[in-house]
């Protein structure tokens, strides 16, 4: 049975984390450029709300920093960025579950699924780094 490192020598876990990092940068750039559209697509309303737009831009900056940090790091930096991303994504899951009562189910489910998937990838990377 093949391990996470396939015959061609590529580490599948790191490949998934690299794709996650690229997605973080893309999502962050989109949210930074168009916060109103971002919240509308997430089902969080579309009316003008400067405070919400500010919070979305803060989220955007975090996502860009996490993604770019991973992409621009060497192996030891990637180990650290995976841990930081895992912590952030785990808090996102907990926050999503905590705000469930105030949001439509599909909004909560979508956000928690995305953050949970990212946390699962981060956990796989962190655990893989620990056993190496």
């Amino acid at each position: 049975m093949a391990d996470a490192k396939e015959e061609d020598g590529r580490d599948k876990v790191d490949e998934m984390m690299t794709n996650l990092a690229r997605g973080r940068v893309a999502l962050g750039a989109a949210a930074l450029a168009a916060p109103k559209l971002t919240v509308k697509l997430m089902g969080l309303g579309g009316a003008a709300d400067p405070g919400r737009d500010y919070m979305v831009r803060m989220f955007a900056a975090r996502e860009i920093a996490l993604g770019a940090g991973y992409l621009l790091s060497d192996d030891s930096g990637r180990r650290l960025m995976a841990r930081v991303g895992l912590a952030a994504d785990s808090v996102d899951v907990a926050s999503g579950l905590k705000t469930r009562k105030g949001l439509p189910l599909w909004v909560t489910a979508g956000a928690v699924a995305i953050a949970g998937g990212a946390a699962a990838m981060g956990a796989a990377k962190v655990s893989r780094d620990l056993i190496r």
Side-chain angles (χ1 to χ4, degrees):
M1 183 170 169
D3 194 4
K5 187 168 261 186
E6 297 294 326
E7 289 77 31
D8 62 4
R10 293 182 300 162
D11 184 338
K12 295 296 182 182
V13 174
D14 188 57
E15 198 172 306
M16 287 189 316
M17 288 295 292
T18 298
N19 288 332
L20 174 62
R22 289 178 181 138
R24 284 186 191 278
V25 172
L27 174 63
L32 188 64
K36 287 181 183 85
L37 178 60
T38 301
V39 296
K40 187 174 183 178
L41 292 172
M42 292 177 66
L44 300 174
D49 186 340
R52 184 188 58 213
D53 291 351
Y54 173 66
M55 295 300 292
V56 169
R57 286 188 176 108
M58 288 174 50
F59 159 79
R62 179 195 85 168
E63 289 302 301
I64 292 169
L66 286 171
Y70 190 86
L71 293 171
L72 297 173
S73 293
D74 60 8
D75 285 343
S76 65
R78 283 186 169 200
R79 286 191 291 277
L80 174 62
M81 292 306 299
R83 286 169 174 78
V84 172
L86 173 58
D89 295 327
S90 297
V91 170
D92 288 349
V93 169
S95 297
L97 294 172
K98 184 171 175 63
T99 59
R100 164 59 198 113
K101 292 178 185 175
L103 297 172
L105 178 60
W106 72 270
V107 172
T108 301
V112 169
I114 291 169
M121 280 190 258
K125 172 71 173 154
V126 169
S127 63
R128 192 157 167 78
D129 291 342
L130 290 173
I131 61 173
R132 282 190 177 177

